[in-house]
Amino acid sequence: MTGLTKTLELKLVDPNAHKRRKLRETREAYQHALQDAFDARCTTQTEANDVVLTYDLSGYAKNALKKYVPQLTTTYNAGDLHDDHPIRFTNEGLRLDHKPENGIEWYVKIPHHEDYHLWMPAQPNPEQRDWLEALNAGDAEMGESRLFERDGTWSLHVTATRDVEERSEVSAEERTPIGVDIGEASLVTVCHRDNHGSPTAPELWAEEGKTVRQLRKTYFTATRRLQTRGSERIAESFGDDLWRQIDDVFHRVTREVVEYAESVENPVLVLEDLTDIRESMDYGEYMNRRLHGWGFAKLHGQIRYKAVEMGIPVETVNPRNTSKECHACGEVGNRPKQATFTCTNEACWMGEYQADVNGAINIADRYLSGESRSREYENDDDSAEDGGRLTAPQDSHADAETQQATRGTYAS
Ligand SMILES: [Zn+2]
């Protein structure tokens, strides 16, 4: 076991004038307290405490200052202070909330004064989705965070740590790819090929697919009805409860997916690449529905962090036509029914096949054909901005309504 630490990046989404003013107040108070403690050459936490105590700041900011100022005066021996120091908060100062039903899914609670905080929608770097899922599930620990403004945009950098297992020293070619398909009928389907190349041990989470579909349906009909009656509060808490139930199902399924991988020798989990899916959003409503309805990104994020915890590598492949091609001959076939894939190549032995399993094998095979890529080595600095597009949904109308209702109660 080793501790893996990362700085998570979140951009605050268009704070309104009131919240911008509050953020600036916090920054000014912080800056003054920092300058004061620095000028007083505080070299211990106790000394710094006496100075920052009187300022109108949250305990998280004061505690961060107590730790930070002695570092400046003793370790770095800094001469002058710049006036653009980020505001630091000690661990657990921030809180994270996830509302997958909203256009902007993530919210952060930012400490302001002693008993006062701001809940704000935030756009995370989508490459760090796995970390957010881990934090949200309590499987990663939050460390210090820093809040700052650059060119009018407020951002947060949050450090997070989680325990991971060392990966075994096995080359990519020696690994057994396990295809992970996320779908309509079956929430998740996994399959791999045995030593002779035959598809083996397919596992489908079809019941869970039904459960989640039902919960989602209940959510959209019930919240709409409650909202037309003006019961926004009830609608929100009811909605939160349903989404928590969905998340519980997701966590159980993703844990079982990783357990499946652990039962295979030298496994590598193969997922479809979300970036590619995003770029080809218009290539079908089917994909759209999968993305939005099934929390595609959420499931991927959970699988990723749980796999890394167990030392199991995760790779992604191009998703194009994984559900339409025959895994035996590569011909693009059709799906007369949701659960059935039919190969139209007359020379192919296959005929009919379970559609989700066919998809999972195609995904696994793309790893072997060299189409895979390891996301960890990609550098995608600007990706935080297009994260919002992930959730551009079919249900956008319903979402806009719930978002309005939800945002209301998050106003400070
Ligand atoms: Zn075929």
Side-chain angles (χ1 to χ4, degrees), residues 227-374:
Q227 278 163 14
T228 38
R229 286 200 212 135
S231 315
E232 256 96 18
R233 285 266 172 195
I234 302 171
E236 199 203 342
S237 69
F238 182 69
D240 281 353
D241 184 53
L242 288 174
W243 285 100
R244 244 190 318 272
Q245 289 180 48
I246 292 176
D247 200 34
D248 287 348
V249 175
F250 279 17
H251 274 295
R252 181 167 57 76
V253 171
T254 52
R255 196 175 58 242
E256 286 168 6
V257 167
V258 174
E259 280 166 12
Y260 177 100
E262 284 183 285
S263 73
V264 174
E265 204 181 345
N266 297 323
V268 51
L269 281 163
V270 188
L271 309 174
E272 292 175 285
D273 192 286
L274 281 174
T275 321
D276 291 332
I277 291 176
R278 253 183 347 241
E279 278 160 9
S280 45
M281 269 299 248
D282 53 341
Y283 85 65
E285 261 184 33
Y286 172 68
M287 211 39 123
N288 242 326
R289 212 163 50 223
R290 282 173 78 193
L291 273 174
H292 186 63
W294 294 104
F296 200 107
K298 204 167 168 57
L299 287 163
H300 272 195
Q302 291 182 8
I303 290 170
R304 277 182 184 285
Y305 92 75
K306 289 173 193 187
V308 172
E309 271 179 5
M310 294 299 151
I312 296 168
V314 179
E315 298 279 339
T316 55
V317 294
N318 190 329
R320 181 159 283 271
N321 283 345
T322 47
S323 60
K324 293 179 191 152
E325 279 174 16
C326 168
H327 74 266
C329 72
E331 174 112 337
V332 172
N334 54 47
R335 290 174 78 153
K337 281 181 299 197
Q338 185 63 258
T340 311
F341 173 85
T342 308
C343 183
T344 44
N345 177 3
E346 282 179 17
C348 178
W349 59 267
M350 211 185 68
E352 283 194 352
Y353 211 81
Q354 211 292 333
D356 297 306
V357 178
N358 180 61
I361 303 164
N362 280 331
I363 293 166
D365 286 353
R366 285 189 190 188
Y367 172 82
L368 293 170
S369 67
E371 282 190 58
S372 68
R373 61 181 94 157
S374 183

Side-chain angles (χ1 to χ4, degrees), residues 129-282:
R129 178 88 196 205
D130 45 344
W131 280 88
L132 293 173
E133 289 292 342
L135 265 184
N136 208 33
D139 289 333
E141 234 175 90
M142 194 184 281
E144 194 183 68
S145 49
R146 298 184 298 279
L147 171 69
F148 56 91
E149 185 186 8
R150 295 271 184 282
D151 305 321
T153 304
W154 287 88
S155 303
L156 274 164
H157 283 178
V158 182
T159 49
T161 306
R162 59 192 161 118
D163 288 331
V164 298
E165 208 62 70
E166 300 279 342
R167 239 183 241 188
S168 64
E169 297 283 327
V170 173
S171 71
E173 298 77 42
E174 287 172 276
R175 293 203 178 266
T176 304
I178 298 161
V180 181
D181 182 79
I182 292 171
E184 274 281 274
S186 171
L187 182 58
V188 178
T189 304
V190 295
C191 193
H192 68 284
R193 291 181 186 266
D194 64 16
N195 295 337
H196 312 289
S198 306
T200 185
E203 198 166 333
L204 292 88
W205 284 265
E207 269 310 305
E208 288 81 357
K210 217 183 285 174
T211 307
V212 172
R213 222 160 37 235
Q214 190 56 49
L215 285 166
R216 253 178 60 79
K217 207 174 139 207
T218 310
Y219 169 78
F220 283 112
T221 48
T223 49
R224 220 165 297 178
R225 200 173 55 231
L226 286 163
Q227 278 163 14
T228 38
R229 286 200 212 135
S231 315
E232 256 96 18
R233 285 266 172 195
I234 302 171
E236 199 203 342
S237 69
F238 182 69
D240 281 353
D241 184 53
L242 288 174
W243 285 100
R244 244 190 318 272
Q245 289 180 48
I246 292 176
D247 200 34
D248 287 348
V249 175
F250 279 17
H251 274 295
R252 181 167 57 76
V253 171
T254 52
R255 196 175 58 242
E256 286 168 6
V257 167
V258 174
E259 280 166 12
Y260 177 100
E262 284 183 285
S263 73
V264 174
E265 204 181 345
N266 297 323
V268 51
L269 281 163
V270 188
L271 309 174
E272 292 175 285
D273 192 286
L274 281 174
T275 321
D276 291 332
I277 291 176
R278 253 183 347 241
E279 278 160 9
S280 45
M281 269 299 248
D282 53 341

